[in-house]
Amino acid sequence: MNNFEIPIIIFAVLTNYLIYSTANNEFNENQSTKSEEGCGCSSVNRKSGELLENTEDSNINVDHGKYSSAANVVRKYPQTNQMGFIEGGKFMMGTDEPVFVADGEGPSREVQISDFYMDIHEVSNAEFELFVNATGHKTEAELFGDSFVFESLLSEKTKASVTESVAAAPWWLKVKDCDWKHPEGPDSDIKDRMDHPVIHVSWNDAAAYCEWSGKRLPTEAEWEYACRAGLNNRLFPWGNKLNPKNKHWINIWQGDFPAHNTGEDGFIGTSPVTEFPSNAFHLYNMVGNVWEWTADWWNVRHNTTPSVDPTGPSSGSDRVKKGGSYMCHKSYCYRYRCAARSQNTPDTSSGNLGFRCAARNLPEYLQHSP
Ligand SMILES: *[C@@H]1O[C@H](CO)[C@@H](O)[C@H](O)[C@H]1NC(C)=O
Ligand SMILES: *[C@@H]1O[C@H](CO)[C@@H](O)[C@H](O)[C@H]1NC(C)=O
């Protein structure tokens, strides 16, 4: 099954919410694992570790004893995202053991990356608000007047007003007047989530923010190099084991997708941008929490010729996103791995898609910050 052969999205008009609920209850795992197109990670478009338990996990910055969702909230992040220096080098991008072959996770190929800087965490609501205040930027979700939200995060009132969902992934509802300041529609706000990643931002919005902040979006190769943080051929930024030391290292889905998220990792939706341990490059939430836009156009064929600072295809219709989100579960969207990838059109926005920026040189205004 190839992403180009099948229209990624088909809208189903729902006569009422009851029909939707019924369909949802009939969801079963077999349906989900077979339907890659319906994966909660890629099907939304505006255009119409238990694997290797024995590996060592040396590459983790663990704050022993403090790991719990509530404990980390004290870390108030700065309003202007700090950047980490990423020393360049060679690495193997992609994987020869792809989970989703159709996503172009493989083959593994040698890539050389030059020194660069990477935002240590996803761009937060507070940071995005600085940008909007300074520029008056209107996001595409605001201009279109809607965005996609995972059904169970919505109030009954908002759910009742929804008329469209994604046929292949009916838990995605198209919500009117939903945007970064109203992440679950008009009756929601971000007051208590200023330190969470901004969501409902399109690739175009993300690129505009990065440019305003003297940065740019990372290439997919830079993003993956930063995710792997010096480890070779590992699944996650810290190693191969999903829950080393029996703790959660990542904001993903626990429970049965999409019926019930137990929130065992502390979060049903997004988490603060500095939640969970950082990787060896001191980067937070490279996997999980929200998908992150990258600069590259999407394609699924890669050649194995070694390359230097690759920037992806010169044109395309979709942009690459990396890292998976709080909605990902191994049974269904096992894409919270460094090699995993997915795509959306550049004008798409949703409640599990954000970004962080990169730069070749550290912007001047960050050079003297603590
Ligand atoms: C999934 O498929 C397997 C094998 O085909 C079958 O035994 C099982 O009952 C199915 N599960 C559900 C929930 O349909
Ligand atoms: C943005 O502007 C609003 C309205 O003036 C203000 O209340 C808010 O604090 C500003 N946000 C930031 C992050 O400075």
Side-chain angles (χ1 to χ4, degrees):
M1 195 153 60
N2 176 315
N3 277 329
F4 298 111
E5 288 167 15
I6 296 168
I8 287 174
I9 179 172
I10 305 152
F11 286 114
V13 176
L14 302 175
T15 47
N16 58 49
Y17 177 64
L18 212 59
I19 291 173
Y20 169 71
S21 315
T22 312
N24 201 23
N25 292 339
E26 283 164 14
F27 174 91
N28 71 55
E29 209 177 54
N30 290 356
Q31 229 174 310
S32 65
T33 44
K34 263 187 268 175
S35 160
E36 284 182 24
E37 294 300 329
C39 161
C41 335
S42 66
S43 53
V44 193
N45 253 330
R46 199 169 277 289
K47 194 176 57 178
S48 224
E50 289 143 62
L51 292 185
L52 300 156
E53 288 296 344
N54 297 326
T55 335
E56 85 281 19
D57 287 292
S58 54
N59 195 29
I60 42 184
N61 299 325
V62 62
D63 257 337
H64 293 284
K66 88 167 186 166
Y67 192 76
S68 89
S69 57
N72 282 346
V73 177
V74 290
R75 200 201 314 253
K76 277 285 174 212
Y77 67 93
Q79 284 201 320
T80 313
N81 206 336
Q82 301 298 297
M83 302 191 92
F85 173 68
I86 311 292
E87 191 181 349
K90 279 185 185 155
F91 82 114
M92 297 306 288
M93 183 170 174
T95 176
D96 288 328
E97 296 163 280
V99 175
F100 298 105
V101 175
D103 285 357
E105 292 181 6
S108 176
R109 60 241 182 236
E110 186 186 292
V111 168
Q112 187 173 331
I113 295 290
S114 304
D115 294 353
F116 70 106
Y117 290 83
M118 185 80 148
D119 281 354
I120 61 172
H121 55 69
E122 289 154 348
V123 172
S124 66
N125 282 318
E127 291 169 305
F128 200 77
E129 189 172 279
L130 284 175
F131 160 63
V132 167
N133 281 7
T135 62
H137 180 87
K138 285 267 178 253
T139 60
E140 291 197 271
E142 290 169 282
L143 297 173
F144 283 110
D146 53 44
S147 190
F148 291 96
V149 188
F150 179 62
E151 171 267 330
S152 73
L153 298 175
L154 296 171
S155 70
E156 291 305 320
K157 185 172 164 229
T158 303
K159 264 190 267 190
S161 71
V162 169
T163 55
E164 283 179 279
S165 75
V166 178
W171 45 89
W172 279 115
L173 302 188
K174 196 179 200 182
V175 178
K176 281 216 173 11
D177 299 322
C178 172
D179 56 49
W180 69 279
K181 279 193 142 169
H182 307 95
E184 293 85 35
D187 62 358
S188 64
D189 63 53
I190 52 172
K191 268 201 325 278
D192 301 324
R193 286 181 272 178
M194 293 308 282
D195 58 349
H196 285 225
V198 64
I199 50 179
H200 301 297
V201 283
S202 67
W203 186 94
N204 297 313
D205 298 325
Y209 174 93
C210 290
E211 190 182 346
W212 170 78
S213 62
K215 307 174 184 177
R216 57 169 171 77
L217 284 170
T219 64
E220 182 182 5
E222 286 172 337
W223 191 99
E224 190 169 324
Y225 182 76
C227 184
R228 295 182 178 279
L231 289 179
N232 184 30
N233 193 27
R234 296 294 202 280
L235 294 168
F236 310 120
W238 56 87
N240 276 333
K241 203 172 160 183
L242 182 61
N243 298 116
K245 306 188 198 307
N246 290 321
K247 293 169 194 280
H248 288 285
W249 296 82
I250 180 179
N251 180 13
I252 51 174
W253 186 283
Q254 292 88 38
D256 300 320
F257 187 87
H260 182 56
N261 186 344
T262 64
E264 190 187 287
D265 57 15
F267 300 92
I268 301 288
T270 56
S271 57
V273 293
T274 52
E275 190 68 56
F276 299 95
S278 58
N279 71 8
F281 287 176
H282 306 290
L283 306 172
Y284 293 92
N285 292 301
M286 288 301 292
V287 291
N289 208 19
V290 290
W291 282 99
E292 299 180 13
W293 288 111
T294 73
D296 296 22
W297 289 110
W298 170 260
N299 84 16
V300 295
R301 289 181 223 294
H302 319 288
N303 74 43
T304 51
T305 314
S307 59
V308 180
D309 294 324
T311 54
S314 55
S315 64
S317 57
D318 288 5
R319 297 285 185 176
V320 178
K321 61 180 183 177
K322 297 281 281 183
S325 81
Y326 62 85
M327 287 176 59
C328 282
H329 184 270
K330 190 171 178 183
S331 72
Y332 192 61
C333 173
Y334 185 29
R335 288 184 173 83
Y336 43 92
R337 295 168 290 114
C338 293
R341 54 207 300 273
S342 191
Q343 89 279 21
N344 282 111
T345 56
D347 59 359
T348 299
S349 64
S350 71
N352 68 344
L353 176 51
F355 68 103
R356 77 180 71 209
C357 310
R360 178 67 63 212
N361 302 301
L362 193 62
E364 206 276 330
Y365 66 92
L366 286 175
Q367 285 174 17
H368 310 291
S369 23

